[in-house]
C-alpha cells in the first residue's frame, strides 16, 4: 500500500483537522456510489479508508511516524534485544548458561507494544514454554493485525482451532450484501458472502474452514466493520442524512433530489421550511428482519458562497422593517 500521507494528499506535519478535512473531501469524490462505472473505485475508496485508519488515529500515526508499523498497520520487525545477555551468558544471540531475555512485539487495540521476558537461571532457556504459549495464542492471545484484516489463532495445536478475521465494507455494501475474497493465515483463499443488513461488529461464521486439529478443523469467524460514510450515519436500522437546501427552496418550497442507500428520490420541501426540520422517508433506511428502517433527512439551509449584494441589501431592509426575534422564548 502507498504511504497514507500520499493517499490523503497531506504532508507529514498536517494537523488532525487538515487530515480529517482531506479525508472527507476525498471520500465524497472517490465513493463507489459516485463512481459506479469505474471498476477500480471500490479499491481506491478502500485504500483511502485504510490510510485514514493509520494517520487519522493519533496513536497509530505516531507509531507509523516512528517506523513501528507500516502503511498497512503491520508491525515492523525491530529486532531482539538482550537475547543471551546476563552473567555467564555466551555471545549475543547465543544460548549460554545465563538468563535469556526475549522481546516480543505486539500490535493490538492499545497500539504497538513490546515486552521483555527473562528466563530462569541456569537453564539458558528458562520461561521458553511461556513464550511459546504467548506467541501461539495461549498466553496473552496476541494476534497479528495487518491493514484492515486481523487474524488470531486460538489454542495452537488444539483440535478445532478457530481463525478470526476482520473485514471492512461500505454502508451501501452492508445494506445490499457483498462478496469479499479473503486470504487466511493458512494461505487458503475464500470467497466470503457478507449478507445484506449486517451491522458493524456482527460476525460471519464459516464452519470447518479454520485451523486443522487432531479431531477436525475449527471455524473461521469474520467480524464485519462498516466504514464511515461521507453523508449517511446509522441509528439502529434508520439512516440519518443532513440534506442541504437553498434559502429560496426553504422560503418558496419545491422538489429537491435526495440520496438514499438505493439511489436518489425526489423530496417535496414545503414553503417556509426551517433549517433543522426532519423528513421521514419510510422504508428507505437500512435492511432489517421483515423490512427496512427509515431515512431521516434533516434539512440545512445553505447560503451561496462568496456573498450576494442583492441578498444582503434585502436582509438589511427586512432587518429594519420586518424584524422578529426567534429566540424570544429562550
Amino acid at each position: 500500500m502507498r504511504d497514507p500521507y500520499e493517499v490523503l494528499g497531506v504532508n507529514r506535519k498536517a494537523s488532525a483537522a487538515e487530515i480529517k478535512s482531506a479525508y472527507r473531501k476525498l471520500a465524497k469524490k472517490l465513493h463507489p456510489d459516485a463512481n459506479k462505472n469505474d471498476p477500480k473505485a471500490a479499491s481506491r475508496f478502500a485504500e483511502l479508508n485504510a490510510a485514514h485508519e493509520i494517520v487519522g488515529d493519533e496513536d497509530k500515526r505516531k507509531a507509523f511516524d516512528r517506523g513501528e508499523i507500516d502503511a498497512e498497520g503491520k508491525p515492523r520487525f525491530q529486532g531482539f534485544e538482550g537475547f543471551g545477555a546476563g552473567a555467564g551468558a555466551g555471545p549475543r544471540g547465543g544460548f549460554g548458561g545465563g538468563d535469556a531475555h526475549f522481546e516480543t512485539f505486539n500490535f493490538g487495540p492499545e497500539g504497538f507494544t513490546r515486552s521483555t521476558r527473562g528466563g530462569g537461571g541456569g537453564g539458558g532457556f528458562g520461561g521458553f514454554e511461556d513464550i511459546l504459549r504467548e506467541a501461539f495464542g495461549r498466553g496473552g492471545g496476541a494476534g497479528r493485525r495487518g491493514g484492515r484484516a486481523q487474524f488470531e489463532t486460538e489454542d495452537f495445536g488444539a483440535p478445532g482451532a478457530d481463525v478470526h478475521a476482520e473485514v471492512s465494507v461500505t454502508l451501501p455494501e452492508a445494506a445490499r450484501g457483498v462478496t469479499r475474497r479473503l486470504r487466511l493465515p493458512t494461505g487458503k483463499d475464500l470467497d466470503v458472502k457478507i449478507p445484506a443488513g449486517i451491522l458493524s461488529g456482527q460476525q460471519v461464521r464459516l464452519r470447518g474452514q479454520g485451523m486443522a486439529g487432531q479431531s477436525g478443523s475449527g471455524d473461521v469467524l469474520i467480524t464485519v466493520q462498516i466504514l464511515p460514510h461521507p453523508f449517511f450515519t446509522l441509528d439502529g436500522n434508520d439512516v440519518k442524512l443532513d440534506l442541504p437546501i437553498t434559502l429560496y427552496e426553504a422560503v418558496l418550497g419545491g422538489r429537491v433530489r435526495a440520496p438514499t442507500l438505493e439511489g436518489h428520490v425526489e423530496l417535496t420541501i414545503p414553503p417556509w421550511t426551517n433549517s433543522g426540520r426532519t423528513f421521514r422517508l419510510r422504508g428507505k433506511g437500512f435492511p432489517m428482519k421483515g423490512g427496512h428502517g427509515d431515512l431521516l433527512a434533516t434539512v440545512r439551509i445553505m447560503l451561496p458562497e462568496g456573498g450576494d449584494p442583492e441578498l444582503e441589501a434585502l436582509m438589511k431592509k427586512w432587518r429594519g422593517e420586518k424584524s422578529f426575534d426567534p429566540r424570544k422564548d429562550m
Side-chain angles (χ1 to χ4, degrees):
M1 178 179 160
R2 291 187 294 154
D3 185 293
Y5 291 102
E6 179 184 343
V7 173
L8 289 165
V10 298
N11 61 49
R12 290 179 175 269
K13 296 182 179 180
S15 65
E18 290 172 333
I19 290 173
K20 185 176 182 180
S21 176
Y23 167 72
R24 286 184 173 179
K25 290 179 181 179
L26 287 174
K28 187 174 182 181
K29 177 182 178 182
L30 300 178
H31 197 277
D33 285 353
N35 300 273
K36 294 182 178 180
N37 297 324
D38 185 353
K40 297 182 179 180
S43 62
R44 286 200 297 267
F45 187 69
E47 181 185 46
L48 174 66
N49 280 286
H52 186 252
E53 285 182 8
I54 299 295
V55 300
D57 181 280
E58 183 179 357
D59 293 334
K60 292 181 183 178
R61 182 182 182 183
K62 290 179 180 178
F64 175 78
D65 290 343
R66 291 193 298 264
E68 294 171 352
I69 61 174
D70 62 17
E72 295 182 356
K74 297 178 182 178
R76 295 183 186 274
F77 181 70
Q78 301 292 327
F80 298 92
E81 296 179 4
F83 188 80
R92 184 173 181 87
F95 294 82
D99 290 344
H101 296 274
F102 300 89
E103 192 169 52
T104 58
F105 298 82
N106 300 308
F107 186 76
E110 298 175 357
F112 185 87
T113 60
R114 64 182 182 181
S115 60
T116 302
R117 300 176 67 92
F125 243 141
F128 189 62
E129 291 182 359
D130 292 338
I131 295 169
L132 284 179
R133 282 196 295 270
E134 179 177 314
F136 293 110
R138 289 185 179 178
R144 180 182 178 185
R145 184 177 179 91
R148 287 162 29 205
Q150 179 176 338
F151 302 102
E152 178 181 347
T153 56
E154 294 180 346
D155 297 325
F156 184 82
D162 291 337
V163 173
H164 293 263
E166 183 178 299
V167 296
S168 298
V169 298
T170 65
L171 183 58
E173 287 173 339
R176 63 175 180 264
V178 68
T179 298
R180 280 280 189 270
R181 176 159 283 262
L182 184 68
R183 170 158 289 188
L184 302 180
T186 58
K188 185 176 182 180
D189 289 334
L190 291 177
D191 287 325
V192 181
K193 185 176 181 180
I194 309 298
I198 195 166
L199 295 172
S200 197
Q202 291 184 333
Q203 290 185 327
V204 175
R205 179 185 292 269
L206 304 179
R207 298 192 180 277
Q209 300 291 339
M211 299 290 289
Q214 297 175 358
S215 59
S217 298
D219 301 335
V220 174
L221 300 174
I222 303 168
T223 302
V224 178
Q225 300 295 341
I226 300 178
L227 297 169
H229 195 276
F231 38 86
F232 291 130
T233 57
L234 270 181
D235 183 9
N237 288 96
D238 291 335
V239 176
K240 291 185 175 181
L241 164 71
D242 280 346
L243 182 64
I245 64 173
T246 64
L247 179 60
Y248 56 81
E249 287 170 334
V251 174
L252 303 176
R255 296 178 65 84
V256 300
R257 193 166 178 258
T260 73
L261 291 175
E262 300 175 347
H264 287 78
V265 297
E266 293 290 325
L267 176 64
T268 299
I269 304 296
W272 294 101
T273 293
N274 285 318
S275 187
R277 181 174 177 179
T278 298
F279 296 87
R280 182 182 294 271
L281 282 70
R282 298 195 179 277
K284 295 297 183 181
F286 200 72
M288 61 181 181
K289 187 176 181 180
H292 286 71
D294 301 332
L295 176 69
L296 305 177
T298 301
V299 298
R300 306 294 182 194
I301 299 174
M302 304 296 292
L303 297 176
E305 295 183 2
D308 186 314
E310 293 183 8
L311 180 60
E312 292 176 8
L314 177 61
M315 293 299 100
K316 290 178 180 178
K317 181 179 178 182
W318 273 39
R319 184 174 60 188
E321 299 177 0
K322 302 180 180 181
S323 63
F324 77 104
D325 184 2
R327 297 171 295 279
K328 61 183 180 180
D329 296 326
M330 296 180 68

